[in-house]
Amino acid sequence: MSAPNESVAGIAARPSVTIKDIAKALDLSHTTISRALADHPKISEATKASVRQMARRMGYVANGPARNIRGMNSLVIGLIIPDIQNDFYASIAKIVADAATDQGFQLALSITEDNPERELKDLRAFIVSRAAGIIVTPTSTPRAETLALLQGVPAVQLVRQAPDIHKEVVAIDDEAAVRAATVHLINYGHRRIAYVGTTTEFSCGVDRLAGFDSAMRANGLDPGFAVVGLPRPEFAQHAVHRLMTLAEPPTGLVIGSSSLTIGALQALRSIRLSCPEDVSVVGYGDPDWFGLVGDGLTTISLPVQPMGNYLISLLLAKIKDKQPFESISQVASRFPASLTIRGSTKPLA
């Protein structure tokens, strides 16, 4: 994954890139650039390839006559998230939509399912519509054009921090949260504790695994019962089924994603195990129904409301500041989560 300006020194991608900008960068006439982008037969294939490559790197998106009118953004805010069925993202979407509406903006939603191509396609659509700002939970491998387009628009990263997206991050203090969840089980006497979490291809996955690992090692315990993968229920179903059918299964489970929590509970039900009788379980996230599972699910409760409020306030400030494009800050604002103890965990006899 390369930085968006790696091969184009001194050129900052921005949503208002025009044919004239590309012409200046390549020292060609704007007529040649226009014809090359239109695949005109009189333009050589080598020139077409050069022009298209430069257009991608500069973040050029064709947008008809309005494309040449600089500084006239729409009142749309784009929210790019991986999963709307995830209670956390659904709640964030509502908070952002309500606050945006109060300020005269409209929310446009993109659901990527962690597909980089879909991420790029939807981002292009936002840029074409001249979105005023973007909130993005990036995929693990954003395309180079995605990086270039994001560089030139007011934007904030949510939950995940992509190293080549030079924008501020609003995230959860996941390492501390998972550490606290693991220590809770250790304090209850559990020694064989397993962790099922989000892939370490995402920054949040790295932090959550680090929290589990540090808690286990600090107490002289083996952190080897850790499996990570895509945050999908199907992965957790498979992982928990495998863990709980070992000759010596874990007595405690820490789950590192709300989607994975659903899959873990489905797996336990499929093999007729219950919590906390057969295994103590700490989930992640806290939708209302977590309180209705048996005697309630012990879980990492997320700071949804303060995160959502800060997220949209930060983006609106960037939009109104009118000078967001020069910043390459990756400052992370991390919000603490809390452990809600219910009936799915108990001291080990």
Side-chain angles (χ1 to χ4, degrees):
M1 180 163 42
S2 60
N5 60 349
E6 180 178 311
S7 301
V8 192
I11 295 174
R14 58 190 188 277
S16 56
V17 170
T18 66
I19 286 176
K20 289 184 179 179
D21 295 322
I22 302 171
K24 183 177 180 180
L26 291 174
D27 196 23
L28 296 171
S29 71
H30 71 275
T31 301
T32 299
I33 301 299
S34 180
R35 288 180 175 180
L37 291 172
D39 200 24
H40 196 285
K42 290 188 177 181
I43 304 298
S44 72
E45 292 303 320
T47 300
K48 290 177 185 177
S50 178
V51 168
R52 288 167 183 162
Q53 183 181 41
M54 181 61 73
R56 285 195 299 271
R57 288 175 177 173
M58 294 181 71
Y60 170 80
V61 181
N63 189 30
R67 193 68 195 152
N68 294 319
I69 305 176
R70 295 177 181 269
M72 295 183 63
N73 289 333
S74 72
L75 295 177
V76 170
I77 289 174
L79 176 62
I80 303 174
I81 55 177
D83 180 10
I84 196 61
Q85 292 180 308
N86 182 311
D87 183 77
F88 171 79
Y89 289 119
S91 298
I92 287 289
K94 185 178 188 318
I95 293 167
V96 170
D98 289 346
T101 299
D102 289 344
Q103 296 296 319
F105 291 88
Q106 289 183 314
L107 183 69
L109 184 64
S110 160
I111 303 169
T112 66
E113 296 184 342
D114 285 317
N115 183 325
E117 292 299 332
R118 186 167 176 178
E119 177 181 56
L120 173 57
K121 179 181 177 183
D122 290 352
L123 177 59
R124 277 200 199 114
F126 289 150
I127 298 301
V128 166
S129 68
R130 303 194 64 82
I134 303 290
I135 296 168
V136 58
T137 300
T139 60
S140 60
T141 55
R143 298 296 183 246
E145 186 179 346
T146 298
L147 303 177
L149 291 172
L150 283 172
Q151 186 175 327
V153 67
V156 180
Q157 299 183 79
L158 171 63
V159 175
R160 304 172 187 168
Q161 182 171 1
D164 290 330
I165 297 177
H166 301 293
K167 300 292 181 179
E168 291 181 62
V169 187
V170 177
I172 301 157
D173 190 350
D174 277 314
E175 184 171 351
V178 174
R179 185 188 303 116
T182 308
V183 168
H184 168 67
L185 291 179
I186 293 171
N187 289 341
Y188 269 11
H190 294 272
R191 295 296 177 264
R192 287 198 314 278
I193 303 171
Y195 170 73
V196 179
T198 299
T199 173
T200 52
E201 291 180 359
F202 301 133
S203 61
C204 59
V206 173
D207 293 340
R208 294 169 195 174
L209 180 59
F212 172 76
D213 189 85
S214 65
M216 295 292 282
R217 292 184 187 278
N219 287 274
L221 301 176
D222 180 9
F225 279 114
V227 289
V228 298
L230 287 176
R232 300 287 182 268
E234 297 77 17
F235 170 73
Q237 287 178 33
H238 175 78
V240 171
H241 187 281
R242 181 168 59 85
L243 286 166
M244 297 309 300
T245 53
L246 292 171
E248 288 189 283
T251 63
L253 290 174
V254 177
I255 313 299
S257 154
S258 56
S259 295
L260 295 176
T261 301
I262 295 171
L265 295 175
Q266 291 171 334
L268 293 176
R269 182 174 182 178
S270 72
I271 52 180
R272 301 183 185 280
L273 296 180
S274 60
C275 54
E277 290 76 18
D278 299 303
V279 60
S280 286
V281 176
V282 182
Y284 187 94
D286 197 17
D288 291 340
W289 65 268
F290 274 17
L292 306 176
V293 178
D295 293 326
L297 187 70
T298 296
T299 192
I300 297 168
S301 298
L302 306 179
V304 180
Q305 193 69 45
M307 275 188 72
N309 290 339
Y310 180 77
L311 177 69
I312 185 60
S313 296
L314 178 62
L315 183 65
L316 289 173
K318 288 180 173 295
I319 292 170
K320 294 173 182 178
D321 184 48
K322 302 296 184 184
Q323 293 184 8
F325 309 135
E326 300 304 319
S327 173
I328 58 170
S329 169
Q330 269 196 313
V331 174
S333 299
R334 299 192 182 277
F335 286 74
S338 59
L339 188 64
T340 299
I341 300 175
R342 301 192 182 103
S344 67
T345 55
K346 72 173 185 178
L348 188 65

